[in-house]
């Protein structure tokens, strides 16, 4: 069992349901959300539109989640509009990565720190890391040192550190390809194993499922499967064995229906995951409503379809997710 300070435990409980499951809404997207809004229009007030959209999502949907993930660039207004019982995670990384340089090296928002994020009311610091376990050692050593620094900052501020790991292969451009699907189980599970080492001071891992569900037999549509159902279940078992930390799943932009089926398969396979941080699967269809119909129309959509998405996901979490307090305790408590 990992032991954390009483202060960290207080924040972790704020982010969770009474049953110690994390049902969090993610809307820390910046570059991708800009593209979604700009797809059908051009606006000189894009920053204001992003802020307004995030605020609407926060206000309308946080009554139904345990917490929300936002960014300090466009999301602080939205943070103030969240439900009083909802915890707050704030992102620490710059959006995207420098595509012209090898390694997808990370960077931090230049005017922010763990201390400053906590001062804005954050209950946790989230950092996104692109990681290829098979990449050159000199690149990965830079990433290890980077995560160590953030972990030390969060330890000093006594604020939980959520590490989001998005895997890739340096030699495969398309992470949704059949070629990458074959490699994904090892990439995901080895990354989790590495960053579970105590030196990184990670409290919660936010991770992908270890398979591409579009290539799992009985879930694949019109394509030849890469994995049998039995193989997929075995990869979920290996994922569970790869860490002693609590871990939660990211939705990775898949449909809500597929994400729910994924959680059920993970549970059936023996994965004791501890919740979700679900983003676009919840709210992406609200963007056209916002662009073409304005704030009133998007609020109507969020109160109807958005709420239905979250409540349906919460029902699946009740069936499938495990409490993180089986893995985390407080210093000094027997």
């Amino acid at each position: 069992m990992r032991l954390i300070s009483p202060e960290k435990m207080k924040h972790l409980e704020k982010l969770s349901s009474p049953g110690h499951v994390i049902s969090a809404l993610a809307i820390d997207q910046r570059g991708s959300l800009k593209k979604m809004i700009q797809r059908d229009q051009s606006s000189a007030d894009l920053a204001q539109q992003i802020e307004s959209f995030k605020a609407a999502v926060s206000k309308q949907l946080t009554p139904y989640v345990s917490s929300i993930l936002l960014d300090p660039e466009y999301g602080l207004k939205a943070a103030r509009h969240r439900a009083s019982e909802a915890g707050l995670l704030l992102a620490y990384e710059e959006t995207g990565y420098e595509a012209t340089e090898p390694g997808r090296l990370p960077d931090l928002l230049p005017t922010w720190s763990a201390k400053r994020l906590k001062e804005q009311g954050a209950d946790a610091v989230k950092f996104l890391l692109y990681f290829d376990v098979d990449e050159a050692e000199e690149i990965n050593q830079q990433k290890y040192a980077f995560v160590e620094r953030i972990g030390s900052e969060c330890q000093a501020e006594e604020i939980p550190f959520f590490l989001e790991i998005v895997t890739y292969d340096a030699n495969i451009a398309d992470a949704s390809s059949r070629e990458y699907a074959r490699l994904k189980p090892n990439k995901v599970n080895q990354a989790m194993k590495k960053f579970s080492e105590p030196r990184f001071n990670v409290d919660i891992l936010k991770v992908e499922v270890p398979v591409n569900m579009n290539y799992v037999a009985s879930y694949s549509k019109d394509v030849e499967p890469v994995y049998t159902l039995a193989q997929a279940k075995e990869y979920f078992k290996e994922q569970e064995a790869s860490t002693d930390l609590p871990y939660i799943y990211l939705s990775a932009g898949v449909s809500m229906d597929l994400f729910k089926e994924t959680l059920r398969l993970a549970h059936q396979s023996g994965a004791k995951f501890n919740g979700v941080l679900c983003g676009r699967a919840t709210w992406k269809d609200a963007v056209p409503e916002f662009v073409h119909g304005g704030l009133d129309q998007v609020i109507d959509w969020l109160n109807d379809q958005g709420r239905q998405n979250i409540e349906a996901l919460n029902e699946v979490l009740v069936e499938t997710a495990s409490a993180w307090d089986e893995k985390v305790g407080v210093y000094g408590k027997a």
Side-chain angles (χ1 to χ4, degrees):
M1 177 175 283
R2 293 295 179 100
L3 298 179
I4 61 175
S5 70
E7 177 75 6
K8 272 195 176 187
M9 179 63 80
K10 180 184 73 174
H11 286 297
L12 204 51
E13 289 177 338
K14 175 69 174 174
L15 295 163
S16 308
S17 71
H20 288 164
V21 167
I22 296 169
S23 59
L25 173 64
I27 185 163
D28 63 323
Q29 288 82 356
R30 285 151 277 174
S32 61
L33 183 54
K34 284 181 185 178
K35 291 176 183 176
M36 292 170 76
I37 291 175
Q38 287 180 314
R39 190 170 296 151
D40 299 315
Q41 60 141 34
S42 60
S43 171
D45 298 321
L46 186 58
Q48 189 273 331
Q49 283 191 303
I50 294 171
E51 288 182 356
S52 295
F53 181 77
K54 288 175 184 267
V57 170
S58 178
K59 184 175 182 179
Q60 304 307 319
L61 297 185
T62 51
Y64 314 108
V65 298
S66 68
S67 45
I68 185 169
L69 168 62
L70 290 158
D71 60 281
E73 294 176 281
Y74 300 102
L76 295 182
K77 175 183 174 183
R80 295 192 293 271
H81 282 79
R82 75 188 190 279
S84 60
E85 294 302 309
L88 175 64
L89 304 98
L90 286 176
Y92 195 5
E93 77 278 352
E94 287 268 24
T95 186
Y97 56 86
E98 179 52 67
T100 61
E101 298 291 331
R104 303 191 188 185
L105 294 173
D107 209 351
L108 297 176
L109 293 169
T111 61
W112 290 92
S113 64
K115 179 185 285 292
R116 292 182 178 196
L117 295 173
K118 187 176 181 181
E119 287 171 346
Q120 290 294 328
D123 294 293
V125 169
K126 189 276 296 187
F127 180 72
L128 166 62
L129 180 74
Y130 292 95
F131 186 70
D132 176 7
V133 68
D134 300 308
E135 199 154 27
E137 183 68 10
E138 58 266 27
I139 288 175
N140 283 344
Q141 284 296 336
Q142 293 180 62
K143 295 181 180 182
Y144 301 150
F146 211 99
V147 175
E148 288 164 9
R149 284 193 288 271
I150 299 168
S152 294
E153 265 195 84
C154 292
Q155 198 78 344
E157 294 299 325
E158 294 191 279
I159 187 169
F161 176 21
F162 281 53
L163 178 64
E164 177 180 0
I165 305 171
V166 173
T167 60
Y168 68 98
D169 186 280
N171 300 309
I172 300 174
D174 184 4
S176 65
S177 68
R178 177 182 206 82
E179 185 182 11
Y180 185 71
R182 294 190 181 96
L183 304 178
K184 185 174 183 180
N186 183 66
K187 300 282 190 182
V188 172
N189 293 343
Q190 289 302 313
M192 288 178 64
K193 182 177 181 180
K194 179 62 183 181
F195 289 103
S196 297
E197 294 177 8
R199 67 181 296 115
F200 296 108
N201 287 309
V202 173
D203 296 294
I204 305 285
L205 289 168
K206 180 188 176 191
V207 296
E208 305 158 289
V209 298
V211 295
N212 183 331
M213 289 292 290
N214 293 311
Y215 292 104
V216 177
S218 79
Y219 295 90
S220 56
K221 295 179 180 178
D222 304 321
V223 296
E224 184 182 350
V226 168
Y227 333 93
T228 66
L229 191 58
Q231 286 172 328
K233 289 182 175 181
E234 190 60 33
Y235 291 135
F236 277 106
K237 289 179 186 176
E238 291 174 6
Q239 181 175 50
E240 173 64 26
S242 71
T243 185
D244 61 343
L245 289 174
Y247 63 97
I248 59 178
Y249 287 131
L250 56 95
S251 59
V254 303
S255 71
M256 181 58 71
D257 286 342
L258 181 57
F259 191 48
K260 290 186 292 185
E261 288 304 307
T262 302
L263 299 181
R264 292 189 177 102
L265 179 60
H267 175 67
Q268 293 164 11
S269 304
K272 295 184 177 180
F273 67 96
N274 306 106
V276 297
L277 235 169
C278 185
R280 287 166 290 173
T282 302
W283 51 258
K284 66 181 178 181
D285 291 337
V287 175
E289 303 289 334
F290 176 70
V291 170
H292 299 298
L295 201 55
D296 288 343
Q297 190 163 315
V298 81
I299 288 172
D300 288 342
W301 188 96
L302 292 167
N303 285 333
D304 181 18
Q305 189 59 51
R307 177 177 176 175
Q308 289 180 42
N309 286 344
I310 286 184
E311 290 182 333
L313 182 59
N314 286 341
E315 289 177 8
V316 175
L317 287 175
V318 170
E319 302 167 12
T320 59
S322 299
W324 51 255
D325 58 5
E326 297 175 9
K327 302 174 181 176
V328 177
V330 175
Y331 294 133
K333 277 198 172 184

